[in-house]
Amino acid sequence: MKANFLLAAFGAVCLCASPARADWSSCLAGLRQSAAAAGVSSATIENALGALEPNDAVSFMDQQPEFTTPVWDYIAGLVDEERVAEGRELMHRHAGALREAESRFGVDPAVVVAVWGVESDFGKSFGKRPVVQSLATLACQAPRRADYFRKELMAALKILDHGDIAPQEFVGSWAGAFGHTQFMPSTFLSTAVDLDGDGRRNIASDPADALGSTANFLHKAGWTRGATWGFEVRLPERYAGPSGRTNRQPMSTWASHGITRLDGGPLGEGRAALLLPAGRNGPAFLVTHNFDAIYAYNAAESYALAICTLSDQLRGRPGIQTPWPTDDPGLSRAERRELQALLIRRGYELGEPDGVIGTKTKEAIADFEGRNGLKRDGRAGLKVLNALRGQ
């Protein structure tokens, strides 16, 4: 009786609403029915979906930086001195949880902490959008993958129903990823662990659970205990051989093509693929199945390479040695904040410098470039920073 009344109420609203409003109300009613069929309690459904309105999640679908940003810009902003220093301090602070995670799942603690740094800047950038609202919006209004977002919404409602994450903590990215290491809800249900044994799998406010859950994800994705993700290599001049992340060959095959480690040493044993993220004139890497495990976290090579590079530097190893094939390198976050501060001094209204290159900063850069004879592209690179410095 109550369900019939609710459906009738939705129908009455739709008769007098705009087409867009009618579509939203109709879709929301369907989501409520699906959640009930999936076993979510009526109280959780009502609290989560009862008065829900759509948000702006759909507008971000084609703006993922790992697919739209030059790799040298992407890595420069994610792997810098600040993040390395903070990551090392956090490795020390959470050493106990990281040891437990490594014991259970066999994943290098530096890689787990690198995921944490890339995904949420060590818990400082979770995202502020309510997960349920974003996923409901995408399930109802996304131009593609609506079924995927509907399934993620059902998973999110189950998380709330179980009580692992409090509603006020359940916020994240436009796509519904949440917590210290930005799990999608379905990944949480299948992979999250209660590392500290407090009875909740809380990756939103418990770093130990987030670190353990991330290690478990990488373990399930095929991480091999004690093995490397790969290493940077030197190509012979005018190399024209095979490459590509999925083209894995024995190390002996790559050696036969004249490929060596940067120090000229032998490649070792096992199988690897040759990764050329900026083509044959840029840095080259031989990557193993452990690289693929990281790639499974977010299917973008630049993303996986950022994590691998950060993990190396957390361990005290050097970063990428070969220059990127550009005359305008990317900027660290400190340099991006400096760029914003210099633009503000010239009268551009950008608010407090935060190192985030958003629409206002890009517009200010483009305007400055146009006024100073530079290529007008709005990109935060070294050339425009030096021009602002007066160099």
Side-chain angles (χ1 to χ4, degrees):
M1 179 71 71
K2 183 176 180 181
N4 289 337
F5 173 79
L6 286 171
L7 289 173
F10 274 117
V13 171
C14 293
L15 288 174
C16 59
S18 68
R21 179 66 195 175
D23 289 345
W24 171 254
S25 297
S26 175
C27 182
L28 203 60
L31 294 174
R32 292 166 68 105
Q33 289 181 322
S34 295
V40 180
S41 71
S42 58
T44 295
I45 294 171
E46 184 61 34
N47 289 335
L49 301 178
L52 198 66
E53 295 291 337
N55 67 9
D56 61 350
V58 174
S59 67
F60 292 89
M61 288 191 72
D62 295 318
Q63 299 182 35
Q64 293 168 266
E66 55 267 41
F67 299 112
T68 60
T69 305
V71 62
W72 45 85
D73 283 352
Y74 184 79
I75 298 231
L78 286 173
V79 185
D80 56 20
E81 292 180 359
E82 290 176 282
R83 188 157 280 143
V84 171
E86 185 173 3
R88 288 175 179 169
E89 193 277 326
L90 289 169
M91 285 181 68
H92 176 74
R93 186 189 308 174
H94 296 281
L98 290 165
R99 279 195 300 269
E100 174 66 17
E102 184 178 23
S103 174
R104 288 173 60 177
F105 305 114
V107 180
D108 179 358
V111 172
V112 175
V113 172
V115 172
W116 188 14
V118 168
E119 285 290 348
S120 73
D121 194 15
F122 306 117
K124 295 189 289 294
S125 300
F126 283 4
K128 299 179 181 179
R129 293 174 176 79
V131 169
V132 169
Q133 183 185 34
S134 292
L135 290 172
T137 300
L138 292 163
C140 291
Q141 298 180 349
R144 58 187 182 278
R145 304 184 73 197
D147 288 345
Y148 166 77
F149 291 115
R150 176 183 285 262
K151 291 176 183 176
E152 291 297 335
L153 174 62
M154 296 302 115
L157 294 171
K158 290 178 181 179
I159 292 169
L160 288 173
D161 213 29
H162 188 267
D164 280 308
I165 309 296
Q168 65 270 21
E169 295 178 324
F170 208 20
V171 295
S173 74
W174 66 268
F178 69 99
H180 281 272
T181 50
Q182 296 287 283
F183 272 22
M184 290 299 290
S186 64
T187 302
F188 177 94
L189 290 181
S190 66
T191 309
V193 298
D194 175 19
L195 194 76
D196 60 5
D198 68 355
R200 296 175 65 202
R201 301 182 297 170
N202 187 357
I203 68 170
S205 60
D206 189 338
D209 285 356
L211 296 172
S213 298
T214 300
N216 189 31
F217 177 95
L218 294 171
H219 166 71
K220 288 188 170 188
W223 185 274
T224 297
R225 184 189 296 263
T228 180
W229 65 266
F231 45 87
E232 191 174 354
V233 294
R234 191 182 310 282
L235 301 180
E237 191 174 355
R238 298 190 182 90
Y239 176 78
S243 64
R245 183 184 59 83
T246 60
N247 184 10
R248 194 173 296 151
Q249 301 290 337
M251 291 293 189
S252 58
T253 298
W254 299 116
S256 71
H257 286 287
I259 296 172
T260 67
R261 292 178 181 263
L262 290 183
D263 63 5
L267 301 178
E269 302 298 324
R271 297 172 64 86
L274 179 63
L275 191 71
L276 304 175
R280 288 169 170 79
N281 294 321
F285 308 86
L286 283 177
V287 298
T288 71
H289 54 276
N290 278 354
F291 183 91
D292 289 341
I294 297 171
Y295 179 89
Y297 211 99
N298 182 359
E301 291 178 358
S302 58
Y303 168 88
L305 186 60
I307 288 172
C308 293
T309 303
L310 179 56
S311 70
D312 277 355
Q313 293 189 244
L314 291 175
R315 288 291 192 197
R317 300 166 187 156
I320 297 171
Q321 301 295 291
T322 305
W324 294 106
T326 177
D327 63 352
D328 192 12
L331 304 180
S332 69
R333 289 175 298 163
E335 289 171 326
R336 293 177 185 188
R337 291 194 297 271
E338 179 189 357
L339 179 146
Q340 290 172 322
L342 291 171
L343 286 169
I344 291 167
R345 271 191 224 167
R346 291 175 178 265
Y348 296 98
E349 296 182 2
L350 301 179
E352 188 70 21
D354 58 5
V356 178
I357 307 301
T359 301
K360 285 187 177 180
T361 300
K362 290 177 182 177
E363 290 174 349
I365 292 171
D367 184 75
F368 174 82
E369 288 169 329
R371 294 173 183 270
N372 290 272
L374 300 173
K375 179 183 176 182
R376 186 185 173 99
D377 59 9
R379 176 179 163 268
L382 186 59
K383 284 185 176 180
V384 71
L385 176 58
N386 283 337
L388 284 161
R389 289 168 170 167
Q391 297 178 6

